[in-house]
Amino acid sequence: MEDKGIPKEQIYQMLRKYKEKDLTHRSGRILGSMCTCPHPVGIRAYSMFLESNLGDPGLFPGTKAMEDEVITMLGGLLGKNNVHGHIITGGTEANLMAMRAARNMRRIKDPEIIVPRSAHFSFKKAADMLCLDLKMAELDENYRMDLSSVEKLISDNTVAIVGVAGTTELGKIDPIEDISKICMEKDIYLHVDAAFGGYSIPFLKEAGYDLPEFDFTLPGVSSITIDPHKMGLAPIPTGGILFRERKYLEAMAIETPYLTEDLQSTIVGTRTGAATAATWALLKHLGKEGYREVATSCMEITYKLAEGVKEAGFELVTEPELNIVPFYSPDIPVKEIARRLEAKGWAVSLASYPQAIRVIVMPHLKEEHIDSFLEDLRTIKGIN
Ligand SMILES: *Cc1c(COP(=O)(O)O)cnc(C)c1O
């Protein structure tokens, strides 16, 4: 660190140098991320609330009021107006909170959770941090959580079952309705991880897509993760956790001696209010119509990409249910396809089960990007 400060213009110049090294979503080259260009209205709202700390909400009652409204709006989107929750850093923290609530509700020795094999790795972190035994349920032939596998894994020590609405690798929706029935019957906590699908499934259903129930309309669902910083177009870090009842938040409340609130249920202490402001602004500004448009445009480009991938001689792991296209080639190893795509300037990512290239058709991917990607895919196959 220098003793004498550097003038700000010079600092900005230096910052630009670093920024030039980063990829941008706008370039259309990022194919394997669930994040996207934040919406300008979200950016403006975010920057207006940079000093707001929801870890000390008595100082920021305006931001706190927005958080309450956001939770109610997201609850309404997910089948229940009267829900309880927080805007936090992302899906990982949301899943941690849900698992912590479920564990604390029971407070038994040797607690276990059941997640599908397709679950996000955040549940491994949760299991490690919360001392939970992680049981992995198998998937059925459509890569959805297999119910008979779940039933076999249930024991007296099961404190939670997790279903995913929009899996991270393939965009699949688990049979939450059936899992909800099992959880009701056995009185087990059910958490739905809709970090990716939460901002698109409800809007796609409104637009006439035939997608299954996954939210609080199912009586067994105790909590839902939904990430505004994915399909919600909010700047990162913005996640959401919603609980059906207040008792789940209370189950992990810790006394806070020196703050303006007496009890705190979130994992982090100081917590930005900017994420809440951005989420609030975007829900109000885009409305259902705006988000319907975002979700359906992504699906149209998804179908176009899926067709093009097949025409280029590749195979789909599964037909897209949400805006993810996973594919492979019978004659070129997946890692080799990835290497060749990277050499052509594409930032791709791999699905691990089954092994595939996975393209997440986020709102920053436009038709022209897909066209030039398909051209490169054909070249890799020697079709051009
Ligand atoms: C992205 C994702 C997460 C993790 O969210 P972060 O915001 O990256 O912490 C959890 N679950 C699912 C299904 C996801 O797609």
mmCIF file of all heavy atoms in Angstrom, residues 170-205:
data_model
loop_
_atom_site.group_PDB
_atom_site.id
_atom_site.type_symbol
_atom_site.label_atom_id
_atom_site.label_comp_id
_atom_site.label_asym_id
_atom_site.label_seq_id
_atom_site.Cartn_x
_atom_site.Cartn_y
_atom_site.Cartn_z
ATOM 1 N N LEU A 170 -29.382 -29.034 -15.595
ATOM 2 C CA LEU A 170 -30.254 -29.380 -16.723
ATOM 3 C C LEU A 170 -31.569 -28.584 -16.766
ATOM 4 O O LEU A 170 -32.334 -28.728 -17.722
ATOM 5 C CB LEU A 170 -30.581 -30.888 -16.696
ATOM 6 C CG LEU A 170 -29.371 -31.854 -16.661
ATOM 7 C CD1 LEU A 170 -29.861 -33.301 -16.583
ATOM 8 C CD2 LEU A 170 -28.471 -31.666 -17.871
ATOM 9 N N GLY A 171 -31.845 -27.800 -15.728
ATOM 10 C CA GLY A 171 -33.091 -27.025 -15.718
ATOM 11 C C GLY A 171 -34.337 -27.871 -15.535
ATOM 12 O O GLY A 171 -35.413 -27.523 -16.031
ATOM 13 N N LYS A 172 -34.220 -28.968 -14.797
ATOM 14 C CA LYS A 172 -35.353 -29.869 -14.584
ATOM 15 C C LYS A 172 -36.158 -29.473 -13.343
ATOM 16 O O LYS A 172 -35.603 -28.910 -12.393
ATOM 17 C CB LYS A 172 -34.834 -31.301 -14.405
ATOM 18 C CG LYS A 172 -34.296 -31.883 -15.693
ATOM 19 C CD LYS A 172 -35.466 -32.229 -16.571
ATOM 20 C CE LYS A 172 -35.087 -32.356 -18.011
ATOM 21 N NZ LYS A 172 -36.231 -32.689 -18.853
ATOM 22 N N ILE A 173 -37.445 -29.807 -13.371
ATOM 23 C CA ILE A 173 -38.305 -29.516 -12.219
ATOM 24 C C ILE A 173 -38.702 -30.839 -11.562
ATOM 25 O O ILE A 173 -39.337 -31.688 -12.194
ATOM 26 C CB ILE A 173 -39.558 -28.727 -12.662
ATOM 27 C CG1 ILE A 173 -39.142 -27.459 -13.417
ATOM 28 C CG2 ILE A 173 -40.431 -28.393 -11.451
ATOM 29 C CD1 ILE A 173 -40.279 -26.745 -14.119
ATOM 30 N N ASP A 174 -38.305 -31.008 -10.300
ATOM 31 C CA ASP A 174 -38.623 -32.246 -9.580
ATOM 32 C C ASP A 174 -40.137 -32.357 -9.358
ATOM 33 O O ASP A 174 -40.849 -31.345 -9.375
ATOM 34 C CB ASP A 174 -37.883 -32.249 -8.227
ATOM 35 C CG ASP A 174 -36.397 -32.553 -8.390
ATOM 36 O OD1 ASP A 174 -36.059 -33.313 -9.323
ATOM 37 O OD2 ASP A 174 -35.585 -32.041 -7.600
ATOM 38 N N PRO A 175 -40.630 -33.585 -9.123
ATOM 39 C CA PRO A 175 -42.077 -33.780 -8.885
ATOM 40 C C PRO A 175 -42.478 -33.291 -7.495
ATOM 41 O O PRO A 175 -42.726 -34.085 -6.587
ATOM 42 C CB PRO A 175 -42.259 -35.293 -9.034
ATOM 43 C CG PRO A 175 -40.929 -35.874 -8.738
ATOM 44 C CD PRO A 175 -39.897 -34.854 -9.116
ATOM 45 N N ILE A 176 -42.512 -31.967 -7.335
ATOM 46 C CA ILE A 176 -42.713 -31.374 -6.000
ATOM 47 C C ILE A 176 -44.091 -31.751 -5.439
ATOM 48 O O ILE A 176 -44.241 -31.946 -4.235
ATOM 49 C CB ILE A 176 -42.570 -29.822 -6.068
ATOM 50 C CG1 ILE A 176 -41.272 -29.409 -6.787
ATOM 51 C CG2 ILE A 176 -42.631 -29.223 -4.678
ATOM 52 C CD1 ILE A 176 -40.003 -29.688 -6.068
ATOM 53 N N GLU A 177 -45.095 -31.875 -6.317
ATOM 54 C CA GLU A 177 -46.441 -32.198 -5.828
ATOM 55 C C GLU A 177 -46.420 -33.544 -5.091
ATOM 56 O O GLU A 177 -46.984 -33.679 -3.997
ATOM 57 C CB GLU A 177 -47.427 -32.218 -6.994
ATOM 58 C CG GLU A 177 -48.851 -32.381 -6.524
ATOM 59 C CD GLU A 177 -49.883 -32.008 -7.587
ATOM 60 O OE1 GLU A 177 -49.502 -31.673 -8.737
ATOM 61 O OE2 GLU A 177 -51.075 -32.071 -7.242
ATOM 62 N N ASP A 178 -45.765 -34.533 -5.677
ATOM 63 C CA ASP A 178 -45.680 -35.853 -5.036
ATOM 64 C C ASP A 178 -44.814 -35.807 -3.781
ATOM 65 O O ASP A 178 -45.124 -36.430 -2.771
ATOM 66 C CB ASP A 178 -45.096 -36.886 -6.016
ATOM 67 C CG ASP A 178 -46.012 -37.092 -7.213
ATOM 68 O OD1 ASP A 178 -47.234 -37.163 -7.010
ATOM 69 O OD2 ASP A 178 -45.502 -37.163 -8.356
ATOM 70 N N ILE A 179 -43.723 -35.061 -3.858
ATOM 71 C CA ILE A 179 -42.837 -34.959 -2.686
ATOM 72 C C ILE A 179 -43.596 -34.260 -1.550
ATOM 73 O O ILE A 179 -43.468 -34.628 -0.378
ATOM 74 C CB ILE A 179 -41.539 -34.196 -3.035
ATOM 75 C CG1 ILE A 179 -40.826 -34.865 -4.227
ATOM 76 C CG2 ILE A 179 -40.585 -34.151 -1.843
ATOM 77 C CD1 ILE A 179 -39.680 -34.053 -4.808
ATOM 78 N N SER A 180 -44.402 -33.265 -1.917
ATOM 79 C CA SER A 180 -45.201 -32.552 -0.917
ATOM 80 C C SER A 180 -46.147 -33.521 -0.209
ATOM 81 O O SER A 180 -46.310 -33.462 1.021
ATOM 82 C CB SER A 180 -45.976 -31.421 -1.603
ATOM 83 O OG SER A 180 -46.989 -30.918 -0.775
ATOM 84 N N LYS A 181 -46.757 -34.432 -0.967
ATOM 85 C CA LYS A 181 -47.672 -35.417 -0.346
ATOM 86 C C LYS A 181 -46.911 -36.297 0.643
ATOM 87 O O LYS A 181 -47.381 -36.537 1.754
ATOM 88 C CB LYS A 181 -48.307 -36.303 -1.430
ATOM 89 C CG LYS A 181 -49.428 -35.590 -2.168
ATOM 90 C CD LYS A 181 -50.179 -36.550 -3.087
ATOM 91 C CE LYS A 181 -51.057 -35.752 -4.045
ATOM 92 N NZ LYS A 181 -50.951 -36.190 -5.437
ATOM 93 N N ILE A 182 -45.740 -36.755 0.216
ATOM 94 C CA ILE A 182 -44.939 -37.609 1.104
ATOM 95 C C ILE A 182 -44.590 -36.839 2.387
ATOM 96 O O ILE A 182 -44.718 -37.348 3.494
ATOM 97 C CB ILE A 182 -43.629 -38.063 0.398
ATOM 98 C CG1 ILE A 182 -43.961 -38.940 -0.818
ATOM 99 C CG2 ILE A 182 -42.692 -38.782 1.357
ATOM 100 C CD1 ILE A 182 -42.757 -39.290 -1.695
ATOM 101 N N CYS A 183 -44.198 -35.577 2.216
ATOM 102 C CA CYS A 183 -43.788 -34.776 3.376
ATOM 103 C C CYS A 183 -44.960 -34.479 4.306
ATOM 104 O O CYS A 183 -44.791 -34.436 5.526
ATOM 105 C CB CYS A 183 -43.128 -33.482 2.919
ATOM 106 S SG CYS A 183 -41.484 -33.773 2.248
ATOM 107 N N MET A 184 -46.152 -34.270 3.736
ATOM 108 C CA MET A 184 -47.344 -34.044 4.561
ATOM 109 C C MET A 184 -47.645 -35.296 5.382
ATOM 110 O O MET A 184 -47.907 -35.231 6.580
ATOM 111 C CB MET A 184 -48.565 -33.741 3.686
ATOM 112 C CG MET A 184 -48.548 -32.389 3.018
ATOM 113 S SD MET A 184 -48.644 -31.043 4.192
ATOM 114 C CE MET A 184 -50.410 -31.057 4.539
ATOM 115 N N GLU A 185 -47.593 -36.428 4.682
ATOM 116 C CA GLU A 185 -47.946 -37.688 5.328
ATOM 117 C C GLU A 185 -46.981 -38.021 6.472
ATOM 118 O O GLU A 185 -47.385 -38.480 7.525
ATOM 119 C CB GLU A 185 -47.878 -38.774 4.247
ATOM 120 C CG GLU A 185 -48.541 -40.078 4.574
ATOM 121 C CD GLU A 185 -48.211 -41.076 3.469
ATOM 122 O OE1 GLU A 185 -48.576 -40.809 2.307
ATOM 123 O OE2 GLU A 185 -47.545 -42.081 3.769
ATOM 124 N N LYS A 186 -45.686 -37.737 6.237
ATOM 125 C CA LYS A 186 -44.683 -38.122 7.241
ATOM 126 C C LYS A 186 -44.264 -36.951 8.116
ATOM 127 O O LYS A 186 -43.333 -37.086 8.909
ATOM 128 C CB LYS A 186 -43.435 -38.696 6.544
ATOM 129 C CG LYS A 186 -43.769 -39.761 5.525
ATOM 130 C CD LYS A 186 -42.811 -40.917 5.587
ATOM 131 C CE LYS A 186 -43.228 -41.940 4.577
ATOM 132 N NZ LYS A 186 -43.093 -43.293 4.906
ATOM 133 N N ASP A 187 -44.902 -35.809 7.912
ATOM 134 C CA ASP A 187 -44.592 -34.632 8.713
ATOM 135 C C ASP A 187 -43.106 -34.261 8.633
ATOM 136 O O ASP A 187 -42.416 -34.119 9.650
ATOM 137 C CB ASP A 187 -45.024 -34.862 10.176
ATOM 138 C CG ASP A 187 -45.055 -33.550 10.947
ATOM 139 O OD1 ASP A 187 -45.124 -32.489 10.301
ATOM 140 O OD2 ASP A 187 -44.985 -33.589 12.194
ATOM 141 N N ILE A 188 -42.619 -34.134 7.408
ATOM 142 C CA ILE A 188 -41.219 -33.759 7.179
ATOM 143 C C ILE A 188 -41.178 -32.392 6.490
ATOM 144 O O ILE A 188 -42.018 -32.094 5.634
ATOM 145 C CB ILE A 188 -40.504 -34.816 6.298
ATOM 146 C CG1 ILE A 188 -40.474 -36.168 7.017
ATOM 147 C CG2 ILE A 188 -39.077 -34.374 5.955
ATOM 148 C CD1 ILE A 188 -39.934 -37.308 6.159
ATOM 149 N N TYR A 189 -40.203 -31.604 6.862
ATOM 150 C CA TYR A 189 -39.986 -30.276 6.283
ATOM 151 C C TYR A 189 -39.610 -30.422 4.799
ATOM 152 O O TYR A 189 -38.714 -31.184 4.460
ATOM 153 C CB TYR A 189 -38.839 -29.623 7.048
ATOM 154 C CG TYR A 189 -38.525 -28.185 6.679
ATOM 155 C CD1 TYR A 189 -38.900 -27.139 7.519
ATOM 156 C CD2 TYR A 189 -37.812 -27.876 5.519
ATOM 157 C CE1 TYR A 189 -38.588 -25.825 7.205
ATOM 158 C CE2 TYR A 189 -37.501 -26.563 5.200
ATOM 159 C CZ TYR A 189 -37.888 -25.543 6.050
ATOM 160 O OH TYR A 189 -37.581 -24.253 5.730
ATOM 161 N N LEU A 190 -40.292 -29.672 3.936
ATOM 162 C CA LEU A 190 -39.955 -29.699 2.502
ATOM 163 C C LEU A 190 -39.454 -28.323 2.057
ATOM 164 O O LEU A 190 -40.156 -27.322 2.175
ATOM 165 C CB LEU A 190 -41.180 -30.112 1.670
ATOM 166 C CG LEU A 190 -41.054 -29.963 0.149
ATOM 167 C CD1 LEU A 190 -39.852 -30.702 -0.422
ATOM 168 C CD2 LEU A 190 -42.341 -30.432 -0.547
ATOM 169 N N HIS A 191 -38.241 -28.311 1.547
ATOM 170 C CA HIS A 191 -37.675 -27.076 0.988
ATOM 171 C C HIS A 191 -37.605 -27.203 -0.530
ATOM 172 O O HIS A 191 -37.152 -28.221 -1.044
ATOM 173 C CB HIS A 191 -36.271 -26.836 1.551
ATOM 174 C CG HIS A 191 -35.578 -25.658 0.924
ATOM 175 N ND1 HIS A 191 -36.065 -24.374 1.032
ATOM 176 C CD2 HIS A 191 -34.452 -25.575 0.158
ATOM 177 C CE1 HIS A 191 -35.256 -23.548 0.364
ATOM 178 N NE2 HIS A 191 -34.277 -24.253 -0.179
ATOM 179 N N VAL A 192 -38.051 -26.162 -1.231
ATOM 180 C CA VAL A 192 -37.962 -26.156 -2.689
ATOM 181 C C VAL A 192 -36.878 -25.163 -3.105
ATOM 182 O O VAL A 192 -36.957 -23.975 -2.780
ATOM 183 C CB VAL A 192 -39.315 -25.786 -3.327
ATOM 184 C CG1 VAL A 192 -39.175 -25.630 -4.830
ATOM 185 C CG2 VAL A 192 -40.359 -26.839 -2.992
ATOM 186 N N ASP A 193 -35.878 -25.655 -3.810
ATOM 187 C CA ASP A 193 -34.819 -24.782 -4.306
ATOM 188 C C ASP A 193 -35.205 -24.300 -5.707
ATOM 189 O O ASP A 193 -35.009 -25.004 -6.699
ATOM 190 C CB ASP A 193 -33.487 -25.533 -4.335
ATOM 191 C CG ASP A 193 -32.337 -24.628 -4.765
ATOM 192 O OD1 ASP A 193 -32.610 -23.443 -5.072
ATOM 193 O OD2 ASP A 193 -31.187 -25.106 -4.802
ATOM 194 N N ALA A 194 -35.781 -23.099 -5.744
ATOM 195 C CA ALA A 194 -36.173 -22.490 -7.018
ATOM 196 C C ALA A 194 -35.277 -21.278 -7.284
ATOM 197 O O ALA A 194 -35.731 -20.259 -7.813
ATOM 198 C CB ALA A 194 -37.644 -22.097 -7.001
ATOM 199 N N ALA A 195 -33.999 -21.404 -6.914
ATOM 200 C CA ALA A 195 -33.056 -20.302 -7.132
ATOM 201 C C ALA A 195 -33.089 -19.878 -8.597
ATOM 202 O O ALA A 195 -33.175 -18.694 -8.919
ATOM 203 C CB ALA A 195 -31.641 -20.732 -6.742
ATOM 204 N N PHE A 196 -33.069 -20.866 -9.483
ATOM 205 C CA PHE A 196 -33.071 -20.560 -10.914
ATOM 206 C C PHE A 196 -34.500 -20.420 -11.465
ATOM 207 O O PHE A 196 -34.807 -19.479 -12.182
ATOM 208 C CB PHE A 196 -32.313 -21.660 -11.667
ATOM 209 C CG PHE A 196 -32.253 -21.442 -13.157
ATOM 210 C CD1 PHE A 196 -31.659 -20.316 -13.689
ATOM 211 C CD2 PHE A 196 -32.810 -22.375 -14.025
ATOM 212 C CE1 PHE A 196 -31.607 -20.103 -15.070
ATOM 213 C CE2 PHE A 196 -32.755 -22.178 -15.398
ATOM 214 C CZ PHE A 196 -32.162 -21.042 -15.918
ATOM 215 N N GLY A 197 -35.379 -21.364 -11.116
ATOM 216 C CA GLY A 197 -36.708 -21.410 -11.752
ATOM 217 C C GLY A 197 -37.751 -20.477 -11.155
ATOM 218 O O GLY A 197 -38.788 -20.233 -11.769
ATOM 219 N N GLY A 198 -37.471 -19.934 -9.964
ATOM 220 C CA GLY A 198 -38.494 -19.171 -9.255
ATOM 221 C C GLY A 198 -38.984 -17.935 -9.986
ATOM 222 O O GLY A 198 -40.146 -17.551 -9.878
ATOM 223 N N TYR A 199 -38.098 -17.312 -10.731
ATOM 224 C CA TYR A 199 -38.470 -16.104 -11.479
ATOM 225 C C TYR A 199 -38.926 -16.429 -12.892
ATOM 226 O O TYR A 199 -39.175 -15.517 -13.676
ATOM 227 C CB TYR A 199 -37.289 -15.139 -11.558
ATOM 228 C CG TYR A 199 -37.341 -13.974 -10.585
ATOM 229 C CD1 TYR A 199 -36.721 -14.037 -9.346
ATOM 230 C CD2 TYR A 199 -38.020 -12.799 -10.916
ATOM 231 C CE1 TYR A 199 -36.731 -12.966 -8.473
ATOM 232 C CE2 TYR A 199 -38.045 -11.717 -10.051
ATOM 233 C CZ TYR A 199 -37.398 -11.804 -8.826
ATOM 234 O OH TYR A 199 -37.429 -10.736 -7.977
ATOM 235 N N SER A 200 -38.957 -17.704 -13.282
ATOM 236 C CA SER A 200 -39.445 -17.969 -14.633
ATOM 237 C C SER A 200 -40.645 -18.907 -14.674
ATOM 238 O O SER A 200 -41.580 -18.657 -15.428
ATOM 239 C CB SER A 200 -38.318 -18.467 -15.545
ATOM 240 O OG SER A 200 -37.723 -19.618 -15.022
ATOM 241 N N ILE A 201 -40.658 -19.966 -13.845
ATOM 242 C CA ILE A 201 -41.771 -20.923 -13.931
ATOM 243 C C ILE A 201 -43.145 -20.238 -13.777
ATOM 244 O O ILE A 201 -44.033 -20.468 -14.607
ATOM 245 C CB ILE A 201 -41.608 -22.081 -12.909
ATOM 246 C CG1 ILE A 201 -40.283 -22.818 -13.144
ATOM 247 C CG2 ILE A 201 -42.778 -23.058 -13.000
ATOM 248 C CD1 ILE A 201 -39.878 -23.752 -12.000
ATOM 249 N N PRO A 202 -43.341 -19.375 -12.767
ATOM 250 C CA PRO A 202 -44.669 -18.763 -12.629
ATOM 251 C C PRO A 202 -45.069 -17.952 -13.872
ATOM 252 O O PRO A 202 -46.231 -17.973 -14.290
ATOM 253 C CB PRO A 202 -44.531 -17.839 -11.417
ATOM 254 C CG PRO A 202 -43.353 -18.355 -10.667
ATOM 255 C CD PRO A 202 -42.419 -18.931 -11.701
ATOM 256 N N PHE A 203 -44.104 -17.259 -14.461
ATOM 257 C CA PHE A 203 -44.422 -16.418 -15.626
ATOM 258 C C PHE A 203 -44.652 -17.275 -16.866
ATOM 259 O O PHE A 203 -45.509 -16.962 -17.697
ATOM 260 C CB PHE A 203 -43.299 -15.407 -15.853
ATOM 261 C CG PHE A 203 -43.113 -14.485 -14.682
ATOM 262 C CD1 PHE A 203 -41.936 -14.489 -13.951
ATOM 263 C CD2 PHE A 203 -44.140 -13.635 -14.282
ATOM 264 C CE1 PHE A 203 -41.769 -13.663 -12.851
ATOM 265 C CE2 PHE A 203 -43.989 -12.796 -13.179
ATOM 266 C CZ PHE A 203 -42.795 -12.817 -12.465
ATOM 267 N N LEU A 204 -43.905 -18.347 -16.999
ATOM 268 C CA LEU A 204 -44.116 -19.237 -18.142
ATOM 269 C C LEU A 204 -45.487 -19.902 -18.030
ATOM 270 O O LEU A 204 -46.195 -20.064 -19.029
ATOM 271 C CB LEU A 204 -43.003 -20.286 -18.223
ATOM 272 C CG LEU A 204 -41.617 -19.734 -18.590
ATOM 273 C CD1 LEU A 204 -40.563 -20.831 -18.502
ATOM 274 C CD2 LEU A 204 -41.638 -19.120 -19.999
ATOM 275 N N LYS A 205 -45.878 -20.269 -16.811
ATOM 276 C CA LYS A 205 -47.205 -20.880 -16.627
ATOM 277 C C LYS A 205 -48.298 -19.899 -17.046
ATOM 278 O O LYS A 205 -49.245 -20.264 -17.739
ATOM 279 C CB LYS A 205 -47.412 -21.295 -15.165
ATOM 280 C CG LYS A 205 -46.701 -22.593 -14.810
ATOM 281 C CD LYS A 205 -46.683 -22.811 -13.311
ATOM 282 C CE LYS A 205 -47.890 -23.560 -12.803
ATOM 283 N NZ LYS A 205 -47.756 -25.005 -12.901
#
